[in-house]
Amino acid sequence: MNRPSPAGWRRRAAAAWAVALAFGAAAFALAEVSWRALPHPRPLEELSYYPSGRSLRPATLGHAATAADLAWLRAVQYYGGHRATDNRFERMEHVFDILTTLDPGFRPAYVFGSFALAQEGRDFPAAERLMRKGLAANPASGELAFQLGFLYYVRPGGRDLAQAARWFEQASRQADAPPQSARFAAFARQNGGELLGAYELWGEVERNSPNRLLRELAARERERIREALRSGRHERAMSRLSTPAVLLKAD
Amino acid sequence: MNALLIAHNTFREATRDRVVAGMVAAGLALLGVTLVVSPLALGEGSRLLVDLGLTGISVLGLLVVLLTGTSLVAKEVERRTIYNLLSRPIQRPAYLVGKWAGLSAALWAVAVVLGLALWGLVALRGHGAAGPAVLQAVYLAGLELTVVTALAVMFSAISTPVLSALYTLGFFLAGQWSYDLRTFAAKFPPELGAMVSAVAHLVPNLPLFNMRTLAAAGETTTPLHLALATLYAAVYVGCALGLAAAAFESKDFK
Amino acid sequence: MQTSTVTDTGRPAVGRDACVPDPSLAVCTRGLAKDYVHPWTLRRTRGLDALDLDVRRGEVLGLLGPNGAGKTTTLKLLTGLLKPTHGRAWLLGEPVERTAARRGLGFLPEQPYFYDYLSGLEYLELAGRLSGLDADAARRRARHWLDRVGLGERPGLRLRKYSKGMLQRLGLAAALVHEPELLILDEPMSGLDPFGRRDVRELIAEQRERGVTVLFSSHILPDVEMLCDRVAILLGGRLTRVATVGELVEGGRQSVEIRCAPGALLELPRAWAGAVTRAERADETVFRLDDEARLPEVLGALLRAGVAVRAVTPQRPTLEELFLAAAEGERARRSA
């Protein structure tokens, strides 16, 4: 006849579980209290006083891209946090500069950083520098060229249509060009008064666009330009621009 | 009493181990290198020194935990040295508490040595006013290490040394991101957000022990912060050791 | 079967439903069993089956059995290193699941390992303190026992430099440093040379003189024969026999060996066929009688034939022979 063994160790194990749960609940509560009551550490500022990404790169031990990813996550939160509070982005250019030095191929960082600097940070020169840095590191990027063109196109305080058109054209020549690049280049040229250049660009759209409606639009614009050139009334071919319908997204 | 004896013995083991001595040496070397390169920081040399010094304490301490702490219990079980202890009138939870206390004490010793060296260097650079902030940051770094040590002891009690190291490292990394996890949880769909939030609460709240940025700027933190961090460390350690004890009670030593 | 043969009083020392055992017992188990469950297949293997065993205070009990018989399982169940699946056990009157049960216990595990970063003296001091001694007493006794087991010349030597034999001696010292009432030793002679084994035997005999109860497992049967008051034989996880050594060997048939000068009695009488065997050695002839009852007849015939008889020696079966026979019997029983 075998009786079951006594539960001495089971009682002790249950007591240990109870202690663990009690302490766990206390830890949970304290974590909530500290989350609400204490300022959160600002780890992005830890990056901010490094002289450059070049000095930081060796410390990542070959994992610069991963470090850039982690820094990117923090950068996005930094932006959101400051946008929701004081709208001050003093360290933003420096931080994105470091981020893009760690990973020069990180194209979303250039795009997001530039537009955040231009639109929120009111620092167009910094935005321009960042985007040009991106193009220097990624010269064949149609996406970055397009975004730089767009940056000039929507520049606060006055568009630079010549630059916009230049970069839209460059974008249209790249393999990863956004499909609207040529069209945007044409718009920019046209509205900047460069009717002949615009006429050529519209011709490209009419010949190459897979979109029938766009081909028809291009044909109409070419007709308008011809009409304006014939009549000498160039302003008929230009318009106070509504911003072209494009969705700007930072991925 | 038995827990104290085991703690003393574990402290003795840790300090006789070359790993701890090596980490102290590495930390002092890091401070020396930081001192040398700080002119490159364009006027931010003291910030660099403080931040790298504090980071060094945390990283080197973590290495000690991963190399030594995660095999604290598991190694004794594998080598069967634990038979000689548990066949004496010692309660198993007391054994675990002693192991944690011993290694924590060794890590505090490392943190104090490196922290004092850091303070000294900062004072030498003419930024003695940052001393209190540095010491507070070292204290919080020490608390962080005691929490991670408790996790290491817990995993070591239920798993092999290698797996314990992986779990401990995983919890450490997730704990560093616990605030970010909470922020992300609010932005995800409800079910996923609840899961992420649960993970954020399970892992240790390590940003609570991070005042490196403040210390780098020479700013002290509030007594509330120090008190909350101390209390949180105590209860999280209690929870981890409680779980370890629960698992250890039912363990058979074949 | 086990209940009726294991106790000296002829009755169980404690009833199945009683909670407090006889205080004259150092060790008491009732229905103690251990199953091992495979972590993947969940297959159960019974390591120990319903052990009822009583060990009186002050006696030396040897635990015998082949590898896998359940000896180490039994000792680990008693020392709290394993949790029983069924049954109960008491050490010195305390249930084994209580820490207090190990206060008067000294345990030497099989092939002991220690903290290699400690010296022998440091380790014994730690062992003493963990067993309840104060700092001074621990230090004093550590020194005493280190000397006693022959390791006192280099008290500061780190354990990583100890040989296997030295570690075994240290383990014994650690089991004795707090002067326990009960010693449980798992293969205490393991790894020792003949001198070492002699020393361990002397130590065990010393402890018996002091009234300490000793329960030890061993493969070295001559040592068991020399030291033990009783022997318990475990086979296949079951206790098959507990008796004194004398009771065990008396149960076996006794033979007689007659040693004579060489060349004695060239031809054996036909009547002796099957009962007497003859062996020629370089300097003597040996006659072996399976049944001692034939001794007068055979000895008389040899003397009448003028054979120079040198010695007549009764041959009791050794414990080893009995043990092997019992193991063989158990194997046959299992396969039947």
Side-chain angles (χ1 to χ4, degrees):
Chain A
M1 175 173 60
N2 288 325
R3 289 186 304 136
S5 60
W9 65 266
R10 286 200 183 90
R11 273 199 301 273
R12 287 195 295 270
W17 270 109
V19 165
L21 287 171
F23 276 119
F28 186 104
L30 280 171
E32 284 295 311
V33 168
S34 61
W35 167 261
R36 290 180 210 291
L38 296 176
H40 297 174
R42 304 286 272 255
L44 200 65
E45 273 82 352
E46 294 169 23
L47 282 179
S48 65
Y49 59 82
Y50 282 98
S52 70
R54 271 201 309 280
S55 67
L56 188 57
R57 217 187 156 91
T60 62
L61 300 171
H63 295 279
T66 308
D69 288 340
L70 297 175
W72 166 252
L73 284 172
R74 286 265 162 79
V76 170
Q77 286 171 72
Y78 170 85
Y79 168 78
H82 280 284
R83 191 160 188 277
T85 54
D86 58 10
N87 265 308
R88 295 176 62 178
F89 305 92
E90 287 123 356
R91 304 259 186 210
M92 191 112 101
E93 184 192 3
H94 188 55
V95 165
F96 274 94
D97 182 56
I98 288 175
L99 191 50
T100 50
T101 303
L102 285 174
D103 187 357
F106 197 168
R107 289 192 271 286
Y110 298 109
V111 175
F112 180 64
S114 299
F115 278 92
L117 282 165
Q119 305 297 117
E120 312 281 358
R122 306 271 189 266
D123 188 352
F124 188 83
E128 188 181 13
R129 282 193 293 272
L130 182 63
M131 195 63 92
R132 281 183 181 268
K133 180 188 175 191
L135 277 160
N138 302 273
S141 172
E143 182 203 349
L144 286 182
F146 179 86
Q147 299 293 357
L148 182 54
F150 197 76
L151 205 61
Y152 284 115
Y153 202 87
V154 298
R155 185 177 67 174
R159 308 167 197 282
D160 186 340
L161 292 172
Q163 285 290 338
R166 176 196 161 194
W167 289 105
F168 285 144
E169 279 170 24
Q170 173 153 328
S172 68
R173 289 194 286 272
Q174 307 305 326
D176 66 333
Q180 62 273 32
S181 302
R183 177 158 54 91
F184 273 50
F187 268 132
R189 289 252 179 259
Q190 183 171 340
N191 293 307
E194 290 182 52
L195 296 183
L196 289 174
Y199 188 80
E200 288 304 315
L201 285 167
W202 282 126
E204 255 184 64
V205 175
E206 190 182 2
R207 280 190 297 277
N208 299 323
S209 175
N211 188 322
R212 178 181 60 84
L213 293 175
L214 271 178
R215 291 198 298 275
E216 287 169 4
L217 180 127
R220 282 198 299 275
E221 291 299 322
R222 277 163 66 94
E223 183 50 42
R224 276 178 67 195
I225 290 171
R226 281 197 294 272
E227 182 55 41
L229 286 171
R230 269 200 298 273
S231 66
R233 301 284 299 275
H234 292 187
E235 67 278 7
R236 286 185 183 176
M238 295 160 64
S239 55
R240 289 277 155 219
L241 283 167
S242 56
T243 310
V246 64
L247 189 63
L248 177 70
K249 35 178 200 174
D251 30 299
Chain B
M1 187 55 196
N2 283 328
L4 273 176
L5 287 169
I6 290 170
H8 173 254
N9 191 56
T10 307
F11 180 83
R12 190 162 45 176
E13 176 182 8
T15 48
R16 286 186 187 179
D17 191 348
R18 285 184 201 125
V19 170
V20 170
M23 292 304 164
V24 171
L28 292 172
L30 175 68
L31 288 175
V33 165
T34 311
L35 199 60
V36 167
V37 304
S38 59
L40 299 175
L42 302 175
E44 300 282 1
S46 285
R47 289 184 75 134
L48 199 69
L49 179 64
V50 170
D51 192 64
L52 279 185
L54 292 172
T55 301
I57 290 172
S58 290
V59 169
L60 294 172
L62 175 67
L63 279 175
V64 171
V65 174
L66 292 177
L67 291 172
T68 306
T70 50
S71 60
L72 261 186
V73 178
K75 195 172 66 177
E76 285 219 41
V77 173
E78 266 181 27
R79 290 193 190 167
R80 298 181 289 164
T81 50
I82 204 170
Y83 292 2
N84 302 302
L85 295 188
L86 296 186
S87 58
R88 294 181 193 271
I90 298 168
Q91 300 204 359
R92 292 189 183 191
Y95 168 79
L96 293 172
V97 169
K99 283 290 183 186
W100 164 79
L103 184 57
S104 293
L107 287 167
W108 273 109
V110 170
V112 164
V113 167
L114 294 179
L116 288 174
L118 178 60
W119 186 21
L121 287 177
V122 166
L124 270 175
R125 286 187 60 91
H127 289 89
V134 167
L135 291 178
Q136 284 181 343
V138 170
Y139 172 71
L140 290 176
L143 284 180
E144 183 183 57
L145 289 173
T146 58
V147 168
V148 180
T149 302
L151 282 173
V153 168
M154 181 182 80
F155 291 126
S156 183
I158 59 179
S159 188
T160 64
V162 172
L163 286 176
S164 303
L166 287 173
Y167 298 149
T168 305
L169 183 60
F171 265 63
F172 174 81
L173 292 173
Q176 293 291 348
W177 287 78
S178 62
Y179 278 10
D180 302 283
L181 288 173
R182 284 168 185 258
T183 311
F184 294 153
K187 295 177 178 152
F188 287 152
E191 298 82 11
L192 185 59
M195 250 169 41
V196 172
S197 182
V199 170
H201 283 85
L202 266 176
V203 298
N205 201 15
L206 297 183
L208 183 57
F209 305 108
N210 178 4
M211 64 167 278
R212 287 192 286 276
T213 315
L214 281 179
E219 295 172 26
T220 55
T221 188
T222 60
L224 176 66
H225 180 189
L226 294 173
L228 275 175
T230 307
L231 202 51
Y232 179 80
V235 296
Y236 198 92
V237 164
C239 179
L241 293 181
L243 290 174
F248 214 51
E249 273 297 339
S250 54
K251 199 173 174 69
D252 273 342
F253 298 100
K254 296 195 188 67
Chain C
M1 165 175 91
Q2 292 86 337
T3 314
S4 61
T5 57
V6 301
T7 61
D8 300 286
T9 57
R11 57 174 172 81
V14 56
R16 289 276 183 178
D17 297 321
C19 295
V20 180
D22 185 339
S24 70
L25 296 177
V27 177
C28 175
T29 73
R30 286 293 174 268
L32 193 65
K34 178 67 183 171
D35 291 341
Y36 293 107
V37 181
H38 193 280
W40 297 107
T41 64
L42 300 180
R43 192 165 155 251
R44 291 187 99 92
T45 312
R46 182 138 279 198
L48 187 69
D49 189 5
L51 177 71
D52 289 354
L53 180 67
D54 296 337
V55 183
R56 286 190 304 274
R57 288 188 187 247
E59 81 165 319
V60 179
L61 183 86
L63 208 54
L64 291 184
N67 293 335
K71 305 188 300 297
T72 299
T73 299
T74 302
L75 300 184
K76 283 188 178 173
L77 284 166
L78 293 175
T79 51
L81 294 171
L82 290 177
K83 305 276 182 252
T85 310
H86 297 290
R88 301 200 67 180
W90 295 261
L91 295 185
L92 302 167
E94 295 277 356
V96 294
E97 60 268 17
R98 286 203 202 140
T99 314
R102 303 193 287 279
R103 235 170 240 139
L105 169 69
F107 176 56
L108 173 67
E110 188 180 358
Q111 292 177 353
Y113 289 91
F114 307 104
Y115 298 126
D116 56 8
Y117 56 90
L118 293 179
S119 67
L121 191 62
E122 285 172 336
Y123 180 72
L124 288 185
E125 277 183 33
L126 175 66
R129 300 273 340 253
L130 288 172
S131 292
L133 298 179
D134 63 53
D136 285 336
R139 205 169 300 124
R140 217 177 341 104
R141 294 208 199 163
R143 188 82 232 194
H144 163 77
W145 281 105
L146 202 65
D147 290 334
R148 179 66 186 82
V149 296
L151 298 171
E153 279 185 19
R154 297 177 69 185
L157 184 67
R158 295 283 162 94
L159 296 185
R160 64 171 63 95
K161 299 209 166 112
Y162 273 36
S163 68
K164 193 175 173 200
M166 290 165 79
L167 287 174
Q168 191 76 10
R169 289 166 195 260
L170 185 76
L172 207 45
L176 289 163
V177 70
H178 55 295
E179 289 169 13
E181 294 172 64
L182 168 65
L183 267 181
I184 295 181
L185 313 172
D186 197 351
E187 307 280 352
M189 319 292 188
S190 167
L192 295 178
D193 59 25
F195 297 109
R197 282 172 44 202
R198 181 198 62 193
D199 291 342
V200 171
R201 283 199 301 270
E202 282 174 9
L203 264 171
I204 293 177
E206 256 176 49
Q207 296 307 307
R208 180 171 52 186
E209 292 304 308
R210 284 187 50 237
V212 173
T213 311
V214 181
L215 169 62
F216 75 95
S217 71
S218 182
H219 286 133
I220 305 175
L221 298 175
D223 292 333
V224 172
E225 269 187 271
M226 263 187 264
L227 289 169
C228 296
D229 299 315
R230 289 193 301 155
V231 168
I233 300 179
L234 281 173
L235 294 169
R238 294 171 57 247
L239 183 67
T240 55
R241 189 93 194 271
V242 181
T244 63
V245 174
E247 283 167 0
L248 282 174
V249 301
E250 270 162 28
R253 289 180 58 184
Q254 291 200 32
S255 61
V256 181
E257 191 178 83
I258 305 172
R259 287 170 33 234
C260 309
L265 206 63
L266 293 171
E267 203 178 310
L268 287 179
R270 208 169 293 186
W272 294 2
V276 180
T277 53
R278 175 193 179 131
E280 294 292 342
R281 296 180 189 158
D283 58 346
E284 61 188 9
T285 301
V286 178
F287 294 95
R288 195 182 174 92
L289 283 66
D290 284 344
D291 184 0
E292 62 178 347
R294 297 191 78 127
L295 178 62
E297 175 198 343
V298 171
L299 189 59
L302 288 173
L303 290 171
R304 280 193 299 276
V307 171
V309 174
R310 288 178 179 168
V312 177
T313 315
Q315 303 290 306
R316 292 173 183 276
T318 62
L319 191 57
E320 183 167 347
E321 288 164 351
L322 287 168
F323 173 71
L324 288 172
E328 204 45 59
E330 175 67 17
R331 210 177 328 218
R333 187 193 72 81
R334 280 173 170 251
S335 52

